[in-house]
């Protein structure tokens, strides 16, 4: 006996199976995974349909397919840290981080944190969301209630100010001279 959910799924989702398979074949490089991908997508759609029916099922189907492929690609980039077997210890020289390199890295990180702190408030917020949290330009704009063009301008300005703070060298030792807090705020306003 078919439920209302089953009827919806058959009449609104399964009718697009041929177009879905063509779409997946065009966009997914691993042909042997197409049927698994389709089944996982159908399971997701069925579960989503049990909660609420989308107003545009076909658009929902293809958007969900794109999201599923993106999720799979993202998962594929994750590198396992579990050992794959018993490896004999190699006698290759290990590049241990020297105290000087460790200290230099900490100093560079401190300079970056200081330079970020000196950015104008909105500019710092945009740079953080875009470069650290890796949100899209559109997501940053909607989260902050500003236009995408304004996000673009803040990123360009923030990157310029950070580069100036980190790479402007005023002495012969190569130590960057950080612009004063006041000069960065003045430029940022």
């Amino acid at each position: 006996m078919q439920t209302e959910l089953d009827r919806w799924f058959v009449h609104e989702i399964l009718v697009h199976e041929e177009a879905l398979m063509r779409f997946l074949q065009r966009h997914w490089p691993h042909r042997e995974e197409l049927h698994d991908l389709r089944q996982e997508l159908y399971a997701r759609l069925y579960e989503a349909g049990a909660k609420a029916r989308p107003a545009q099922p076909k658009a929902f189907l293809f958007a969900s397919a794109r999201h599923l492929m993106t999720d799979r690609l993202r998962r594929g980039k994750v590198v396992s840290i579990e050992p794959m077997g018993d490896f004999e210890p190699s006698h290759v020289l290990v590049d241990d981080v020297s105290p000087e390199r460790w200290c230099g890295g900490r100093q560079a990180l401190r300079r970056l944190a200081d330079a970020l702190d000196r950015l104008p408030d909105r500019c710092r917020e945009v740079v953080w969301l875009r470069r650290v949290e890796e949100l899209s330009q559109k997501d940053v704009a909607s989260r902050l209630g500003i236009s995408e063009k304004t996000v673009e301008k803040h990123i360009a300005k923030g990157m310029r100010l950070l580069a100036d703070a980190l790479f402007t060298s005023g002495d012969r030792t190569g130590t960057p001279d950080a612009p004063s807090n006041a000069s960065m705020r003045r430029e940022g306003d």
Side-chain angles (χ1 to χ4, degrees), residues 3 27 47-48 62 89 120 139:
T3 66
H27 292 88
E47 288 174 14
F62 286 96
D139 291 341

Side-chain angles (χ1 to χ4, degrees), residues 59 140 150 162 167:
V140 173
T150 304
L162 287 173
F167 301 114

Side-chain angles (χ1 to χ4, degrees), residues 80-138:
S80 173
I81 58 170
E82 295 180 18
M84 298 300 287
D86 294 332
F87 291 106
E88 294 296 320
S90 68
H91 299 293
V92 177
L93 293 176
V94 176
D95 182 23
D96 286 329
V97 177
S98 69
E100 293 82 14
R101 279 184 60 197
W102 184 81
C103 186
R106 302 275 300 169
Q107 288 172 349
L109 189 58
R110 170 58 46 209
R111 284 194 314 267
L112 176 61
D114 290 343
L116 269 169
D117 287 342
R118 286 191 306 270
L119 289 176
D121 293 339
R122 181 54 64 122
C123 188
R124 180 179 54 247
E125 194 172 11
V126 168
V127 168
W128 184 268
L129 291 172
R130 189 79 175 96
R131 297 294 185 214
V132 177
E133 293 188 19
E134 297 180 337
L135 294 180
S136 70
Q137 193 166 304
K138 185 176 186 176

